[in-house]
Amino acid sequence: MGMGGLNSTAIAGVGYTDYSRNSGRSVERLALEAIHAAAADAGIAVSEIDGLVTYGLCDTSYTGVLATGLGLKELNYFADYSAGGNVACAAVIQAAMAVATGQAKCVVAYRALNGASGIRYGGSGWSELMSTTSLLSDAEPQFLDTCGITMPAQHYAMLARRHMAKYGTTNEDLAAVAMACREHAAKNPRAQMRKPMNLADYEASPWIAEPFRLLDCCLQSDGACAVLVTSWDRAKDLRQRPVRILSGAVGGSPRARGVMWTNFAGEHAECFATELADGLFQRAGVTRGDMDFAQLYDCFTYSVLAQLEDFGFCKKGESGAFFREGRAGLQGQLPINTGGGLLSEAYIHGLNCVVEAVDQLRGNAGDRQVSDAELGLVTAGGAAHSGSALILGAQ
């Protein structure tokens, strides 16, 4: 095939397992199920897949294992990221770049994990696990651990406190994010958490790391998602309405070399979006006002507030009101996390947010469908200084 940009590629299929707290099967089995489902969704044989991309922190099933398990005829492109949720969109972008440059014809980005029954992020031994992955430099844990920051909730709590001190953000603002995600999840058959939540429920949940309560924190989930990318021209002839990849961005601030403590360096409670957003929209040839929805990486409620501001949908300090006033609802100004997000659908390390965006742009999201959805933003990276993002379109 000829050379092209990202917008010469499309998502032609998505697949996923059930989302649970105890899958009863291996991470490899989960990945195989999701990839088989994505191929079936696109209407192609699994043997036509010739590229694989994945990511994870000690708990994924690597591309070489999956290529064998899938019985692929050839593997023309592969990539295994040793990274977290900040590359959920980057994995899809990597797949699209491989297709656009002719490295492969059909590339699947996938994520599989037993995040509840297996390696629990932020659970016992988290800091020790991270320090052995080479993801953190040897210097970081000794500084973080000695001041009591041993898990992501504690780290992001510090970032949220800075936003509160600078802009007057409150726990009611955080609660509004959690409640909006739960309201959307109630309409999503895939979601782990569909029970209605009100402010009293939120305030009754225990503190995890102030200002975060339990309901400010994403779920711990077992499951897998897969996103099948091929050329736009080919996708048009396959089973589903294709979703075009209009643009993507991966990167962040120069101070994002580390994972945790370098995020404290800024003065203005900003995240990676300040570095990526303008170019992301410009390359897609669209504006922020054109977006019909946004799936914002919600590892914690505060992450959504930071991204809403830094992607330019509202001014600094105004994101809490955006949620409290209902502007992020399914009928609102910008529906956000329409499937429930990581807070209420599942924590499949962000790739489930891409699946939800595809559902919306195909127009098959059922009771949670955003009317006439044609353009959507998906992000990965929370409130950190590194991340990735996609703009997807229905045509």
Side-chain angles (χ1 to χ4, degrees):
M1 60 175 287
M3 306 280 276
L6 286 186
N7 65 1
S8 68
T9 69
I11 296 171
V14 291
Y16 44 86
T17 65
D18 58 309
Y19 304 149
S20 72
R21 287 191 58 81
N22 188 0
S23 71
R25 50 220 198 265
S26 68
V27 174
E28 179 184 356
R29 173 54 55 189
L30 292 168
L32 288 169
E33 286 183 28
I35 294 171
H36 273 280
D41 185 54
I44 69 166
V46 169
S47 58
E48 292 189 56
I49 297 168
D50 66 342
L52 294 170
V53 180
T54 194
Y55 61 101
L57 300 170
C58 301
D59 66 341
T60 190
S61 189
Y62 294 104
T63 56
V65 174
L66 265 293
T68 302
L70 292 165
L72 300 187
K73 292 186 295 186
E74 55 187 351
L75 186 65
N76 293 319
Y77 186 85
F78 70 91
D80 295 272
Y81 282 100
S82 178
N86 58 325
V87 299
C89 291
V92 179
I93 294 167
Q94 191 80 10
M97 289 194 297
V99 171
T101 57
Q103 306 301 309
K105 294 180 179 179
C106 181
V107 184
V108 173
Y110 68 92
R111 180 68 171 105
L113 72 166
N114 279 324
S117 67
I119 296 176
R120 295 176 56 238
Y121 283 28
S124 176
W126 165 259
S127 181
E128 291 81 359
L129 170 69
M130 291 289 280
S131 65
T132 62
T133 64
S134 77
L135 189 67
L136 295 179
S137 71
D138 290 341
E140 288 195 357
Q142 66 179 310
F143 292 109
L144 291 170
D145 291 358
T146 52
C147 62
I149 301 176
T150 63
M151 64 182 71
Q154 295 166 331
H155 167 243
Y156 276 82
M158 293 279 285
L159 304 181
R161 277 295 190 210
R162 180 171 57 186
H163 198 277
M164 287 176 155
K166 193 169 184 69
Y167 300 109
T169 304
T170 66
N171 273 96
E172 287 71 24
D173 296 328
L174 301 180
V177 176
M179 291 188 292
C181 288
R182 182 63 62 86
E183 183 177 351
H184 300 164
K187 302 177 185 295
N188 180 4
R190 289 194 295 266
Q192 282 182 265
M193 303 297 288
R194 302 182 67 188
K195 181 181 178 181
M197 179 207 305
N198 58 30
L199 183 59
D201 297 324
Y202 170 86
E203 292 177 339
S205 69
W207 292 110
I208 299 299
E210 291 189 47
F212 293 153
R213 296 182 180 275
L214 178 65
L215 293 176
D216 289 302
C217 305
C218 66
L219 299 171
Q220 293 179 316
S221 309
D222 290 3
C225 292
V227 176
L228 188 150
V229 179
T230 189
S231 70
W232 171 259
D233 289 340
R234 185 184 185 203
K236 288 188 297 184
D237 296 328
L238 296 179
R239 177 173 292 166
Q240 302 288 351
R241 180 182 184 181
V243 170
R244 193 187 291 271
I245 300 174
L246 292 172
S247 71
V250 186
S253 165
R255 59 179 178 269
R257 180 194 62 80
V259 174
M260 297 293 190
W261 68 278
T262 45
N263 286 321
F264 301 135
E267 296 180 16
H268 305 296
E270 294 175 340
C271 70
F272 72 96
T274 58
E275 310 289 336
L276 303 185
D278 287 346
L280 178 75
F281 289 108
Q282 289 167 6
R283 290 190 295 276
V286 299
T287 68
R288 291 157 174 84
D290 293 328
M291 294 298 102
D292 295 310
F293 63 82
Q295 315 295 344
L296 303 180
Y297 191 89
D298 53 333
C299 46
F300 302 98
T301 49
Y302 165 67
S303 302
V304 181
L305 300 181
Q307 290 174 90
L308 187 66
E309 294 171 355
D310 294 344
F311 272 99
F313 294 106
C314 65
K315 294 180 180 178
K316 296 296 290 184
E318 295 183 359
S319 55
F322 193 100
F323 273 87
R324 284 187 282 102
E325 294 166 5
R327 287 185 274 161
L330 294 177
Q331 310 300 321
Q333 174 185 337
L334 181 70
I336 293 175
N337 296 0
T338 56
L342 311 181
L343 288 165
S344 281
E345 182 189 43
Y347 183 73
I348 313 298
H349 227 164
L351 199 58
N352 52 310
C353 297
V354 178
V355 170
E356 172 64 18
V358 171
D359 268 355
Q360 290 288 343
L361 293 169
R362 286 178 177 176
N364 64 359
D367 292 341
R368 66 188 189 282
Q369 180 66 49
V370 175
S371 60
D372 302 318
E374 294 287 333
L375 289 167
L377 169 69
V378 189
T379 73
H385 280 312
S386 67
S388 55
L390 286 162
I391 293 179
L392 303 177
Q395 57 186 355

